[in-house]
Amino acid sequence: MADQARFTELSMEYMPALYSAALRMTRNPTDAEDLVQETYLKAYRGFGGFAEGTNLKAWLYRILTNTYINSYRATKRRPEIADVEDVEDLYLYRRLSPAAGGDPGRSAEDEALESFGDDEVKAAIESLPDAFRIAVLLADVEGFSYKEIADITDVPIGTVMSRIHRGRRALQKALHGYATTRGLVGSASAPGVS
């Protein structure tokens, strides 16, 4: 009984962050609630095996991620197939730099992010294949290190680095169209963007 009370005391502060992560994974509030509930049930049952003093947040995220992969992706009949074409590194930065007519007092990231609405960014993130989306969200939104992400997703650190890199490139490609529409970049296509 003491383990159960201790689990409740330690884990409740992470529930809002876990729900946000679950919502980004499932893209559906009801499914996100179910995923968090299932995560807490599994964590509650397995808390006796948790080594106090280790990273509880990472442990909970690993349970959340594994539960999502096992439960929600298994319901799909076919895996997602994505052809992520290479986009030249720093393409948006070069297009928004002072030499290309950008404001020298502001970074290219600031200019680009201010012009995108939440809907465009959310749509670009949701367009990523699950493996890339989860890696990018855990790194860039949740702030986990590569090693923590490798532990959470149970893949080698090199795979994590590759997924984050490819996911960011795919985001850059997806957001290029929005940037062109908003007049942030010229109408010339980005490499690999039609």
Coordinates of all heavy atoms in Angstrom, one line a residue, residues 127-164:
S127 N 1.9 15.5 -40.0 CA 2.1 14.9 -41.2 C 3.3 13.9 -41.2 O 3.5 13.1 -42.1 CB 2.3 15.9 -42.4 OG 3.6 16.6 -42.2
L128 N 4.1 14.0 -40.1 CA 5.3 13.2 -40.0 C 4.9 11.8 -39.7 O 4.0 11.5 -39.0 CB 6.2 13.7 -38.9 CG 6.9 15.1 -39.0 CD1 7.6 15.4 -37.7 CD2 7.8 15.1 -40.2
P129 N 5.7 10.8 -40.2 CA 5.5 9.4 -39.8 C 5.7 9.3 -38.3 O 6.4 10.0 -37.7 CB 6.5 8.6 -40.6 CG 6.9 9.5 -41.7 CD 6.7 10.9 -41.2
D130 N 5.0 8.3 -37.7 CA 5.0 8.2 -36.2 C 6.4 8.2 -35.6 O 6.6 8.8 -34.6 CB 4.3 6.9 -35.8 CG 2.8 7.0 -35.8 OD1 2.3 8.2 -35.9 OD2 2.1 6.0 -35.7
A131 N 7.3 7.4 -36.2 CA 8.6 7.3 -35.6 C 9.3 8.6 -35.5 O 10.0 9.0 -34.6 CB 9.5 6.2 -36.4
F132 N 9.2 9.4 -36.6 CA 9.9 10.7 -36.7 C 9.2 11.7 -35.8 O 9.8 12.4 -35.1 CB 9.9 11.3 -38.1 CG 10.6 10.4 -39.1 CD1 10.4 10.6 -40.4 CD2 11.6 9.5 -38.7 CE1 11.1 9.9 -41.4 CE2 12.3 8.8 -39.6 CZ 12.1 9.0 -41.0
R133 N 7.8 11.6 -35.8 CA 7.0 12.6 -35.0 C 7.3 12.4 -33.5 O 7.5 13.4 -32.7 CB 5.5 12.4 -35.3 CG 4.6 13.4 -34.6 CD 3.2 13.4 -35.1 NE 2.7 12.1 -35.4 CZ 2.1 11.3 -34.5 NH1 1.9 11.6 -33.3 NH2 1.7 10.1 -34.9
I134 N 7.3 11.1 -33.0 CA 7.6 10.9 -31.6 C 9.0 11.3 -31.2 O 9.2 12.0 -30.2 CB 7.4 9.4 -31.3 CG1 5.9 9.0 -31.4 CG2 7.9 9.0 -30.0 CD1 5.6 7.6 -31.4
A135 N 10.0 11.0 -32.1 CA 11.4 11.4 -31.8 C 11.5 13.0 -31.7 O 12.1 13.5 -30.8 CB 12.3 10.9 -32.8
V136 N 10.9 13.7 -32.7 CA 11.0 15.1 -32.7 C 10.3 15.7 -31.5 O 10.7 16.6 -30.8 CB 10.4 15.7 -34.0 CG1 10.3 17.2 -34.0 CG2 11.4 15.3 -35.2
L137 N 9.1 15.2 -31.2 CA 8.3 15.7 -30.1 C 9.0 15.5 -28.7 O 9.1 16.4 -27.9 CB 6.9 15.1 -30.0 CG 6.0 15.6 -31.1 CD1 4.7 14.7 -31.1 CD2 5.6 17.0 -31.0
L138 N 9.6 14.3 -28.6 CA 10.3 14.1 -27.3 C 11.5 14.9 -27.2 O 11.9 15.4 -26.1 CB 10.7 12.6 -27.2 CG 9.5 11.6 -27.0 CD1 10.0 10.2 -27.1 CD2 8.9 11.8 -25.6
A139 N 12.2 15.2 -28.3 CA 13.4 16.1 -28.2 C 13.1 17.5 -28.2 O 13.5 18.3 -27.3 CB 14.3 15.8 -29.5
D140 N 12.2 18.0 -29.1 CA 12.0 19.5 -29.2 C 10.9 20.0 -28.4 O 10.9 21.2 -28.0 CB 11.8 19.8 -30.7 CG 13.0 19.5 -31.6 OD1 14.1 19.4 -31.0 OD2 12.8 19.3 -32.8
V141 N 9.9 19.2 -28.0 CA 8.8 19.7 -27.2 C 9.0 19.3 -25.7 O 8.9 20.2 -24.9 CB 7.5 19.2 -27.7 CG1 6.3 19.7 -26.8 CG2 7.2 19.7 -29.2
E142 N 9.4 18.1 -25.5 CA 9.5 17.6 -24.1 C 10.9 17.8 -23.6 O 11.1 17.8 -22.4 CB 9.2 16.1 -24.1 CG 7.7 15.8 -24.5 CD 6.7 16.5 -23.7 OE1 6.9 16.9 -22.5 OE2 5.6 16.7 -24.2
G143 N 11.9 18.1 -24.4 CA 13.3 18.4 -24.0 C 14.1 17.2 -23.5 O 15.1 17.4 -22.8
F144 N 13.8 16.0 -23.9 CA 14.6 14.8 -23.5 C 15.9 14.8 -24.3 O 15.9 15.2 -25.5 CB 13.8 13.5 -23.7 CG 12.7 13.3 -22.7 CD1 11.4 13.4 -23.1 CD2 13.0 12.9 -21.4 CE1 10.4 13.2 -22.2 CE2 12.0 12.7 -20.5 CZ 10.7 12.8 -20.9
S145 N 16.9 14.2 -23.7 CA 18.2 14.1 -24.4 C 18.1 12.9 -25.3 O 17.2 12.1 -25.2 CB 19.3 13.8 -23.4 OG 19.1 12.5 -22.8
Y146 N 19.1 12.7 -26.2 CA 19.1 11.6 -27.2 C 19.1 10.3 -26.4 O 18.4 9.3 -26.7 CB 20.3 11.6 -28.1 CG 20.3 12.7 -29.1 CD1 21.5 13.2 -29.6 CD2 19.1 13.3 -29.6 CE1 21.5 14.2 -30.6 CE2 19.1 14.3 -30.5 CZ 20.3 14.7 -31.0 OH 20.3 15.7 -32.0
K147 N 19.9 10.2 -25.3 CA 19.9 9.0 -24.5 C 18.6 8.7 -23.9 O 18.1 7.5 -23.9 CB 21.0 9.1 -23.5 CG 21.0 7.8 -22.6 CD 22.3 7.6 -21.9 CE 22.4 6.4 -21.0 NZ 21.4 5.4 -21.1
E148 N 17.9 9.7 -23.3 CA 16.6 9.5 -22.7 C 15.6 9.0 -23.8 O 14.8 8.1 -23.5 CB 16.1 10.7 -22.0 CG 16.9 11.1 -20.8 CD 16.6 12.4 -20.2 OE1 16.3 13.4 -21.0 OE2 16.6 12.6 -19.0
I149 N 15.7 9.6 -24.9 CA 14.7 9.2 -26.0 C 15.0 7.8 -26.4 O 14.1 7.0 -26.7 CB 14.8 10.2 -27.2 CG1 14.4 11.6 -26.8 CG2 13.9 9.7 -28.4 CD1 14.6 12.7 -27.8
A150 N 16.3 7.4 -26.5 CA 16.6 6.0 -26.9 C 16.1 5.1 -25.8 O 15.5 4.0 -26.2 CB 18.2 5.9 -27.0
D151 N 16.2 5.4 -24.6 CA 15.6 4.6 -23.5 C 14.1 4.5 -23.6 O 13.5 3.5 -23.4 CB 16.0 5.1 -22.1 CG 17.5 4.9 -21.8 OD1 18.2 4.1 -22.5 OD2 18.0 5.6 -20.9
I152 N 13.5 5.7 -23.8 CA 12.0 5.7 -23.9 C 11.5 4.9 -25.0 O 10.5 4.2 -24.9 CB 11.5 7.2 -24.0 CG1 11.8 7.9 -22.7 CG2 10.0 7.3 -24.4 CD1 11.6 9.5 -22.8
T153 N 12.1 5.0 -26.2 CA 11.6 4.4 -27.4 C 12.2 3.0 -27.6 O 11.8 2.3 -28.6 CB 11.8 5.3 -28.7 OG1 13.2 5.5 -28.8 CG2 11.0 6.5 -28.6
D154 N 13.2 2.7 -26.8 CA 13.8 1.4 -26.9 C 14.5 1.1 -28.3 O 14.3 0.1 -28.9 CB 12.9 0.2 -26.5 CG 13.6 -1.0 -26.1 OD1 14.7 -0.9 -25.7 OD2 13.0 -2.1 -26.3
V155 N 15.2 2.1 -28.8 CA 15.9 2.0 -30.0 C 17.3 2.6 -29.8 O 17.5 3.3 -28.8 CB 15.3 2.8 -31.2 CG1 13.9 2.2 -31.5 CG2 15.2 4.2 -30.9
P156 N 18.3 2.2 -30.6 CA 19.7 2.7 -30.4 C 19.7 4.2 -30.5 O 18.9 4.8 -31.3 CB 20.5 2.0 -31.5 CG 19.6 0.8 -31.9 CD 18.2 1.2 -31.7
I157 N 20.7 4.8 -29.9 CA 20.8 6.3 -29.9 C 21.1 6.8 -31.3 O 20.6 7.9 -31.7 CB 21.9 6.7 -28.9 CG1 21.8 8.2 -28.6 CG2 23.3 6.4 -29.4 CD1 22.6 8.7 -27.4
G158 N 21.8 6.0 -32.1 CA 22.0 6.4 -33.5 C 20.7 6.5 -34.3 O 20.5 7.4 -35.1
T159 N 19.8 5.6 -34.0 CA 18.5 5.6 -34.7 C 17.7 6.8 -34.2 O 17.0 7.5 -35.0 CB 17.7 4.3 -34.3 OG1 18.5 3.2 -34.8 CG2 16.3 4.3 -35.0
V160 N 17.8 7.2 -32.9 CA 17.1 8.4 -32.4 C 17.6 9.6 -33.1 O 16.8 10.5 -33.6 CB 17.3 8.5 -30.9 CG1 16.9 9.9 -30.4 CG2 16.6 7.4 -30.2
M161 N 18.9 9.7 -33.2 CA 19.5 10.9 -33.9 C 19.1 11.0 -35.4 O 18.8 12.0 -35.9 CB 21.1 10.8 -33.8 CG 21.6 11.0 -32.4 SD 23.3 10.5 -32.1 CE 24.1 11.7 -33.1
S162 N 19.0 9.8 -36.0 CA 18.6 9.8 -37.4 C 17.1 10.2 -37.6 O 16.8 11.0 -38.4 CB 18.8 8.4 -38.0 OG 18.3 8.3 -39.3
R163 N 16.3 9.7 -36.7 CA 14.9 10.0 -36.7 C 14.6 11.5 -36.5 O 13.8 12.1 -37.1 CB 14.1 9.2 -35.7 CG 13.9 7.7 -36.2 CD 13.2 6.9 -35.1 NE 13.1 5.5 -35.6 CZ 12.6 4.6 -34.8 NH1 12.1 4.8 -33.6 NH2 12.5 3.3 -35.3
I164 N 15.3 12.1 -35.5 CA 15.2 13.5 -35.2 C 15.7 14.3 -36.4 O 15.0 15.2 -36.8 CB 15.9 13.9 -33.9 CG1 15.3 13.2 -32.7 CG2 16.0 15.4 -33.8 CD1 16.0 13.3 -31.4

